[in-house]
């Protein structure tokens, strides 16, 4: 579907839960638990995907929180895979349950995974994630590679004084493995809304001049891709602050409690709850159609941006 600015909106990031086993400080450092009862049901998830597919969206990313905490995750993936016009089903995960679920998810129709990994030091990883086990994550990465959820993409949110000393180690992961290592600029949300923890992409590129630019894998991708000559994998930079890419944005988000958010860096939301109660999909179709049509020109991260929802509540 084409929005008012002529952007072709083809990509839905659909959050399945706010719940997570970890407490990453840039996502949800608070210790409060999220209400499971407010989550979209399996049928509501599949109904939403069928409607957005009829509007021209063909790429789905399942997010959270941690989507693998949903006991129906394989059923959801299989149901989406049976919608003919959906060409790609991806998932963002902390990988703690991936060792046992990578195979069943691949068989159900999952295309690939993005895995969050903010440190390669076990103690630092545990501190940054509020108790995460690095070895389990590494086992999940190995299993995802083994079952060909490819390309496996690893995401690290770079934070000054926390993990910016590990950037070279992360880049080396791409030497002998067909993975994409992606560095994400810290966004001004939550407790890091107005501090100096962000490490700009240009600073990293200046430190690692061996990285050579590469063509994007597909139009509208959020990352700028690079590669060390001779390495198997890629290095990507997602830079919403220093290199704004709103003009090519092709995505919308739906939260786990049924709110459609046309832009991550804009607080405008549209509820789908009443439309989901209707007997047919007409109201749901019209609500989503209008929200896409009025998608904002760009995000507000370069202004004084405050949001009541942290990343786990919006969908990472």
């Amino acid at each position: 579907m084409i929005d008012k600015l002529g952007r072709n909106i083809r990509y839905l990031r659909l959050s399945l839960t706010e719940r997570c086993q970890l407490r990453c400080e840039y996502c949800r450092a608070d210790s409060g638990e999220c209400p499971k009862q407010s989550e979209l049901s399996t049928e509501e998830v599949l109904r939403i995907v069928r409607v957005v597919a009829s509007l021209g969206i063909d790429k789905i990313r399942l997010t959270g929180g941690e989507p693998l905490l949903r006991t129906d995750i394989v059923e959801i993936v299989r149901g989406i895979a049976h919608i003919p016009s959906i060409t790609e089903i991806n998932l963002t995960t902390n990988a703690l349950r991936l060792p046992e679920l990578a195979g069943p998810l691949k068989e159900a129709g999952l295309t690939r995974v993005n895995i969050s990994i903010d440190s390669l030091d076990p103690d630092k990883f545990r501190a940054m994630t509020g108790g995460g086990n690095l070895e389990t994550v590494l086992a999940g990465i190995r299993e995802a590679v083994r079952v060909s959820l490819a390309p496996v993409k690893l995401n690290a949110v770079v934070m000054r004084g926390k993990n910016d000393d590990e950037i070279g180690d992360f880049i080396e992961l791409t030497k002998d493995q067909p993975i994409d290592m992606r560095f994400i600029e810290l966004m001004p949300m939550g407790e890091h809304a107005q501090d100096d923890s962000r490490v700009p992409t240009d600073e990293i590129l200046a430190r690692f001049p061996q990285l050579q630019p590469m063509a994007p894998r597909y139009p509208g991708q959020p990352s700028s891709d690079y590669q060390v000559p001779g390495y198997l994998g890629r290095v990507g930079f997602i830079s919403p602050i220093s290199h704004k890419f709103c003009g090519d944005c092709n995505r919308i988000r739906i939260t786990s409690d049924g709110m459609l958010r046309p832009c991550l860096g804009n607080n405008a939301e549209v509820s789908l709850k009443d439309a989901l109660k209707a007997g047919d999909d007409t109201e749901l179709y019209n609500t989503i159609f209008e929200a896409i049509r009025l998608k904002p020109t760009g995000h507000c991260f370069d202004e004084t941006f405050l949001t009541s929802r942290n990343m786990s509540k919006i969908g990472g």
Side-chain angles (χ1 to χ4, degrees):
M1 177 179 165
I2 307 300
D3 73 0
K4 64 180 180 180
L5 297 176
R7 295 171 295 194
N8 187 8
I9 310 303
R10 300 179 52 193
Y11 179 11
L12 168 64
R13 297 180 68 102
L14 178 55
S15 178
L16 299 180
T17 182
E18 294 179 20
R19 293 175 288 132
C20 186
Q21 313 99 310
L22 303 180
R23 294 293 184 273
C24 301
E25 57 185 278
Y26 57 81
C27 181
R28 53 168 305 181
D30 61 282
S31 59
E33 290 298 324
C34 301
K36 183 177 179 180
Q37 63 269 23
S38 68
E39 295 172 1
L40 295 166
S41 68
T42 308
E43 180 49 42
E44 286 173 332
V45 167
L46 297 179
R47 188 176 169 193
I48 286 170
V49 175
R50 285 192 292 267
V51 170
V52 300
S54 73
L55 285 164
I57 285 176
D58 58 8
K59 178 179 176 180
I60 306 295
R61 174 169 297 282
L62 302 175
T63 70
E66 175 44 52
L68 297 189
L69 289 179
R70 288 279 300 238
T71 57
D72 56 351
I73 184 62
V74 174
E75 180 184 355
I76 286 173
V77 170
R78 184 176 292 112
I80 295 173
H82 284 145
I83 300 172
S85 58
I86 299 298
T87 60
E88 195 171 325
I89 311 168
N90 304 324
L91 182 142
T92 297
T93 175
N94 62 29
L96 293 179
R97 297 199 65 216
L98 204 54
E100 67 265 28
L101 285 174
L105 288 168
K106 174 70 174 181
E107 184 179 1
L110 190 67
T111 310
R112 61 178 176 81
V113 291
N114 286 17
I115 296 171
S116 301
I117 179 168
D118 294 319
S119 177
L120 297 174
D121 177 271
D123 293 333
K124 189 187 295 185
F125 183 85
R126 188 177 303 109
M128 291 186 69
T129 59
N133 185 304
L134 178 61
E135 184 49 48
T136 303
V137 174
L138 294 175
I141 294 170
R142 290 191 293 269
E143 185 65 7
V145 171
R146 188 189 72 79
V147 302
S148 299
L149 286 170
V152 173
K153 297 187 177 184
L154 308 184
N155 293 339
V157 176
V158 183
M159 300 176 66
R160 194 177 305 280
K162 297 280 188 178
N163 62 352
D164 56 325
D165 60 334
E166 296 188 69
I167 293 172
D169 295 331
F170 280 124
I171 291 172
E172 284 302 300
L173 292 177
T174 69
K175 183 176 182 179
D176 300 314
Q177 301 180 81
I179 62 174
D180 287 13
M181 183 67 234
R182 308 197 306 172
F183 299 110
I184 302 175
E185 279 187 344
L186 182 67
M187 288 176 278
M189 303 178 73
E191 65 180 65
H192 294 288
Q194 304 299 330
D195 68 15
D196 60 356
S197 299
R198 181 171 61 87
V199 180
T201 291
D202 290 346
E203 180 180 323
I204 300 174
L205 288 172
R207 287 172 54 189
F208 297 94
Q210 67 269 39
L211 292 170
Q212 300 298 307
M214 297 191 71
R217 293 185 188 275
Y218 54 87
Q221 75 171 42
S223 67
S224 299
D225 287 354
Y226 293 77
Q227 188 177 48
V228 177
Y231 282 25
L232 286 180
R234 294 189 179 203
V235 174
F237 294 90
I238 299 177
S239 318
I241 314 302
S242 63
H243 296 276
K244 195 171 181 178
F245 47 84
C246 299
D248 295 323
C249 183
N250 63 351
R251 62 192 61 82
I252 59 171
R253 296 170 181 262
I254 295 177
T255 65
S256 62
D257 57 354
M259 302 295 289
L260 191 156
R261 194 176 180 105
C263 173
L264 174 62
N266 187 298
N267 284 319
E269 293 182 338
V270 177
S271 176
L272 304 180
K273 296 174 184 177
D274 289 340
L276 284 167
K277 296 175 184 175
D280 61 36
D281 291 336
T282 302
E283 184 178 350
L284 185 60
Y285 179 100
N286 290 338
T287 302
I288 296 173
F289 178 94
E290 188 64 13
I292 293 176
R293 191 181 69 82
L294 298 176
K295 179 176 168 67
T297 302
H299 66 64
C300 304
F301 288 140
D302 49 355
E303 303 168 12
T304 304
F305 178 72
L306 296 174
T307 177
S308 60
R309 287 182 181 258
N310 57 29
M311 281 303 296
S312 68
K313 292 181 181 292
I314 295 172

